[in-house]
Structure formats: structure tokens, C-alpha cells
Amino acid sequence: MPKLRMNAVVGLRTVWSMKNEATWKKSQRFGGISFIAGGAIIITVCFLTKGFTCFWWTMGVITILLVVDTYYTFRLSKKY
């Protein structure tokens, strides 16, 4: 995600991340790193659990990632 140009189709697109080029680049970098870490957590948890437990862990991690990444873009937009 860090190498994406600002667009309306792909990436961590919020009103705040699309404010300017600086917030876009920093948001994409943070989002890429956080989703890689979240994916590693999901893979690990799903190896250790089965069925709906794995599903609920996955949904929880994705929800946390979305909230954290959205908040980060909001904070960046206030900074720049």
C-alpha cells in the first residue's frame, strides 16, 4: 500500500487520508504495516483455534485494524 498513488478505488481511503498527498502517503504506509501485522495475528490464531472461534478472532482483528487505521488518518489530517 505505501506505493499507491492517491486514487478513489484502492487503498486506505477516508476523507482524511485523501486530504493531501502527505496524509495519503503516511496513511498508506501505516495501513500496509498494520494489515501485515494483523494478517500474521489472524494466521497464528486460526492455526490455534477452529471453526467459529477463528472466525470471531478474524472479525475482531479486522475491526480493530479498521478503527485504528481510521483514527490514525484522522489524527494525520489534523496535523497536516
Side-chain angles (χ1 to χ4, degrees), residues 7-44:
N7 64 72
V9 181
V10 179
L12 181 60
R13 296 172 293 117
T14 64
V15 174
W16 306 297
S17 68
M18 297 182 79
K19 184 177 178 183
N20 60 42
E21 194 68 31
T23 57
W24 175 262
K25 286 183 179 183
K26 289 185 183 274
S27 297
Q28 299 314 304
R29 180 147 180 91
F30 182 81
I33 292 168
S34 68
F35 270 85
I36 288 171
I41 291 169
I42 290 170
I43 290 170
T44 303

Side-chain angles (χ1 to χ4, degrees), residues 10-79:
V10 179
L12 181 60
R13 296 172 293 117
T14 64
V15 174
W16 306 297
S17 68
M18 297 182 79
K19 184 177 178 183
N20 60 42
E21 194 68 31
T23 57
W24 175 262
K25 286 183 179 183
K26 289 185 183 274
S27 297
Q28 299 314 304
R29 180 147 180 91
F30 182 81
I33 292 168
S34 68
F35 270 85
I36 288 171
I41 291 169
I42 290 170
I43 290 170
T44 303
V45 168
C46 286
F47 273 127
L48 300 174
T49 62
K50 296 182 187 216
F52 278 110
T53 306
C54 174
F55 172 76
W56 289 116
W57 269 99
T58 301
M59 292 298 110
V61 169
I62 290 172
T63 301
I64 291 168
L65 287 172
L66 291 174
V67 169
V68 168
D69 289 353
T70 303
Y71 179 73
Y72 182 76
T73 62
F74 172 73
R75 296 290 301 205
L76 274 179
S77 72
K78 297 297 180 189
K79 186 177 180 180

